[in-house]
Amino acid sequence: MKETYLEPAGRLEVYERCDVLVVGSGAAGHSAAVAAARAGCKNIVLMERYGYSGGDVTGGYVIMVPDLSWYEKSFVRGLQEEWFTRLGSIPQAVRAPGLADIGSQDPVLVDAWSAIHDCVSRSEPKRLVRAVYFEPNQLKIEMDKMLREHEQAIRVLYHCWGARPILEGDTVRGVIFESKEGRKAVLAKVVIDATGDGDIFAQTGTPYSSLADGGTRSSTTALVWRIGGINWDQFEQWKRTRPQAAAALRERLSAVAGFRCLPLPTNQNDMCWVNNWHPAMDCTRIADQTKTEMDTRATMRQVLAYLKEAVPMAFRDAFLYDIAPQLGTRCSRRLKGEYVMTANDFAFATKHDDVIAWHSTICQINDCGPVEIPYRCILPQKVEGLLCPGRHLSADDVAIDWLNLIPQCVGTGQAAGVAAAVAVADGTTVREVDIRKVQDILCGQDVPLPRNAKTDPSYTACCEAHEYGLYTDLAKQARAAAEGKGEDLNQYRQW
């Protein structure tokens, strides 16, 4: 039996009182706060444990967002695309096929962009895909600018860790937080848990799942680091002319590190980032967090030395550029919301009346085609006054691998912010919010949604022309499995 300590009761200062409290200013939380302000909410508090916004994007150095387009259409828009529009004027801040070129089958462009991971479709015919590489520190600056543009509506509390929900019956009324000033409280009409790990909802009594099973990408952690002084074009040329050596390099790097790791391109030709995957790790466990960080740092010099020796034409002058300031987190707690997404949503192109994001994703079942993410995926069971967007959204062990990436965090965060703003303005709850009004506002914020009069009909035409991506053998096998005529859907993990 573990030793315990009984904490004395005490009174806490109410630091702020607001209409909407967003806990966590990562991709989901930052998007929620900005979207709520643009939807008319004037009293928002945004709480973040670090001194910057972006979370995994800017602090964990997840510096590529994949599959923002499908064929010739840009499906993932809204605040996600705004990031890159804003960064586009800064030299070398962004590297990606342009919006005008997505879907292009120009063989010269396809060949050029095939050197940059995920910028060309996995399926035939080969075509350009909007996958964006960016400089995380420039995005930190831009995300602050976006908040300051709404400083009359959003009060930012950096260096504040949301620790515990304030509950009145089954309704969340605010959050207790810790900071250098001590423990204080923020009271709110609506709370948005955008912590990524369900730090708030896990203490409310709402159902949730634990870590995804060990067969998925989501069951891994990372500590990203960057290498400078390289020549990515020469590295790509080396891989193309020596495919057997390139395959062996992948294996040897993992052996040197003791875990899977891989150099990937960045927004600059003279720099790469090293992603890594520590298996069977829970990013809410102290021991797993510590081990990931220390084990990765312990092998960086060896991995760098091996690259310099193995591929001198690209890495001869390479050096350790920097190390991500925070842990790379993928999955831990997951909401069991009013709807749980599964592989069936991809295999059957399920339509949802409460759709809040219509995203192309990394899922190969439907050839990375768009899937409808419903509002119910961020709506907890049995608890009022709370929304839960981001990588802890409601999905099963398999589907979470396709839904906890940065675009889906931004998309569900933007929707949560709009829903919270509408609920406050209309004097209703987030459970009873007018979802049609939420959808209309999202479309007005450059978010295409199916079956909405404000969405360009060419999006639906694209889906219909390409059968919603359900022409793949994997989709056929998945549908057969769902109907009991084939193997279980768990066989169709990608990672």
Side-chain angles (χ1 to χ4, degrees), residues 70-73 75 103 105 123-125 127 349 366-367 369-370 458-472:
W70 194 58
Y71 286 91
E72 74 280 6
K73 302 304 294 184
F75 276 89
Q105 299 177 34
S123 65
E124 298 289 347
R127 54 197 182 275
N366 63 341
D367 194 22
S458 65
Y459 280 89
T460 299
C462 173
C463 291
E464 292 174 347
H466 300 291
E467 305 173 58
Y468 289 85
L470 302 184
Y471 43 72
T472 68

Side-chain angles (χ1 to χ4, degrees), residues 9 103 146 209 314 353 413 422 426 429 455:
M146 293 172 74
S209 300
D353 289 341
V422 170
D426 290 354
T429 67
T455 296

Side-chain angles (χ1 to χ4, degrees), residues 93-158:
V94 171
R95 186 183 198 182
L99 289 170
D101 292 328
I102 55 175
S104 172
Q105 299 177 34
D106 181 326
V108 178
L109 292 179
V110 167
D111 180 73
W113 280 108
S114 64
I116 309 301
H117 178 65
D118 269 355
C119 288
V120 173
S121 65
R122 300 170 182 85
S123 65
E124 298 289 347
K126 296 296 183 182
R127 54 197 182 275
L128 299 190
V129 175
R130 180 77 165 163
V132 185
Y133 292 76
F134 56 91
E135 168 51 49
N137 293 303
Q138 292 288 2
L139 185 56
K140 279 183 186 176
I141 296 169
E142 204 62 39
M143 294 179 93
D144 275 351
K145 288 180 64 177
M146 293 172 74
L147 295 174
R148 287 187 163 183
E149 288 167 6
H150 301 285
E151 61 185 5
Q152 298 304 311
I154 303 172
R155 299 188 296 288
V156 180
L157 306 183
Y158 282 154

Side-chain angles (χ1 to χ4, degrees), residues 197-210:
D197 295 302
D199 292 354
I200 304 304
F201 74 62
Q203 301 178 72
T204 65
T206 191
Y208 66 92
S209 300
S210 59

